[in-house]
Amino acid sequence: MSIIYSKYKRRRGIVLKKNIRVVVKLILIWMLCFSSSAILIKLTAYKKADNVYENIREMTKATTGTPPIEETEANEENKEVDQSIVDDKYDKLSSINSDYRFWLQVDNTNIDYPVVQSQDNQYYLKHDFNKNYLASGSIFMDYRNKFEEDHSVILYGHDMKNKSMFGEVANFKKEDFFNENNLIRVEYKGMTYIYEVFSAYVADFYHGDYLKIHFEDEKDKQAYLNYIKDRSLYQKQIELNANDQIMTLYTCSYEFENARTIVHSKLISKE
């Protein structure tokens, strides 16, 4: 009797082990399928975002870029024509989305996007230029800002894993890139505003004293400028005063929970 029971027990143990193996394999297969599905969804979202903004760039291509040297003289004689072309770009994008404010580019990065503005700082986190849902969102200006009036403008964008949107703002955290004097360019109503970066650092989302738009007086603004300059990972010989116009790029970072990459720049010319 004990022999029969022992054989039964062994067979039961073997069956149980087989069942466990089957369950483990099923779990692994499910995890693989889930991971593959998540990756596919993310890649599809990246592709969708690339298509949206590439289409906008193509649409405005005729109104951007630097003309060949041989065309410079002819362009000098046709400034009024050129101006109407640029204004047409602004009007065209504004007609598609009245939230359009200006076009943003950063030297030696893939940052080349229209900038929009909503009534809050939430909507364009998950909506594209055409106001359709998009995980990558848009580059957008703080809802409190008036570009032509404010001396401190803040722009927000996602730090996407594929380096799109504000993914390459992080380049300014590298000393070589910071010191190469890569400029920020804003195209607004036929004018190009050029900004020089003077500060880049990582900050905590919950301590936003590094983001200010309005100031009590010149003394308050100068104190702010000194503060954000001193926070920089690297120092640059650049003078700052209360009359300077500042643009800040703001995006996520991953050094610690709720980390943010902050890049401050100063307007140095208008063309």
Side-chain angles (χ1 to χ4, degrees), residues 3-262:
I3 295 173
I4 295 173
Y5 179 74
S6 296
K7 289 182 178 179
Y8 167 76
K9 194 173 181 181
R10 280 199 301 272
R11 279 198 295 269
R12 186 179 178 185
I14 292 170
V15 171
L16 182 60
K17 287 180 180 178
K18 286 182 178 180
N19 289 339
I20 290 173
R21 290 197 197 98
V22 171
V23 171
V24 169
K25 286 180 180 179
L26 289 174
I27 292 173
L28 291 174
I29 291 171
W30 179 84
M31 290 175 64
L32 179 62
C33 291
F34 179 81
S35 299
S36 299
S37 177
I39 292 171
L40 181 60
I41 291 172
K42 183 160 287 191
L43 290 175
T44 301
Y46 288 155
K47 183 63 176 176
K48 180 181 178 182
D50 288 344
N51 289 340
V52 167
Y53 290 106
E54 189 56 39
N55 287 339
I56 295 172
R57 292 185 196 104
E58 286 296 321
M59 182 182 65
T60 61
K61 203 169 187 180
T63 63
T64 60
T66 303
I69 295 175
E70 60 268 21
E71 293 181 11
T72 302
E73 186 175 344
N75 286 343
E76 286 295 323
E77 297 174 358
N78 294 284
K79 281 186 176 179
E80 291 184 6
V81 176
D82 291 343
Q83 184 62 47
S84 67
I85 292 175
V86 175
D87 287 345
D88 180 60
K89 174 184 177 179
Y90 180 86
D91 292 340
K92 181 181 290 186
L93 291 173
S94 295
S95 69
I96 296 172
N97 184 349
S98 60
D99 291 341
Y100 173 70
R101 295 295 177 263
F102 50 79
W103 196 278
L104 175 74
Q105 292 180 312
V106 179
D107 289 356
N108 295 307
T109 73
N110 60 11
I111 298 173
D112 182 21
Y113 293 99
V115 174
V116 289
Q117 182 184 38
S118 181
Q119 295 179 349
D120 56 49
N121 287 339
Q122 299 298 317
Y123 182 79
Y124 281 110
L125 285 172
K126 296 295 182 182
H127 289 84
D128 66 16
F129 184 81
N130 299 311
K131 297 188 175 183
N132 297 317
Y133 176 82
L134 186 69
S136 300
S138 301
I139 306 301
F140 62 94
M141 184 166 66
D142 193 289
Y143 75 97
R144 298 166 294 175
N145 270 134
K146 293 181 180 178
F147 181 71
E148 292 181 291
E149 299 177 16
D150 292 335
H151 277 208
S152 179
V153 172
I154 305 171
L155 305 183
Y156 304 91
H158 286 301
D159 178 2
M160 304 304 293
K161 296 294 186 183
N162 68 341
K163 299 301 180 181
S164 63
M165 308 311 291
F166 268 1
E168 293 195 344
V169 166
N171 290 357
F172 285 102
K173 292 187 289 186
K174 302 173 184 176
E175 188 171 8
D176 288 346
F177 191 86
F178 181 88
N179 290 325
E180 283 171 3
N181 199 32
N182 290 297
L183 303 173
I184 296 173
R185 304 173 193 275
V186 166
E187 186 181 324
Y188 176 70
K189 292 184 176 180
M191 295 288 293
T192 299
Y193 294 65
I194 300 177
Y195 297 78
E196 181 179 356
V197 171
F198 64 85
S199 181
Y201 55 90
V202 178
D204 190 326
F205 169 78
Y206 293 107
H207 297 87
D209 55 351
Y210 46 83
L211 296 178
K212 289 189 75 171
I213 292 175
H214 303 119
F215 305 91
E216 295 179 7
D217 50 34
E218 289 189 0
K219 184 178 179 180
D220 181 38
K221 184 177 179 183
Q222 188 63 55
Y224 170 72
L225 293 175
N226 294 341
Y227 172 64
I228 60 176
K229 184 180 179 183
D230 289 343
R231 289 197 64 165
S232 183
L233 293 168
Y234 318 105
Q235 294 302 312
K236 181 179 288 188
Q237 295 301 316
I238 182 171
E239 294 296 324
L240 298 172
N241 64 66
N243 293 319
D244 287 330
Q245 293 176 270
I246 306 301
M247 176 170 284
T248 299
L249 309 185
Y250 175 104
T251 190
C252 292
S253 196
Y254 304 98
E255 286 82 354
F256 52 85
E257 188 174 0
N258 295 313
R260 297 293 185 269
T261 296
I262 310 298

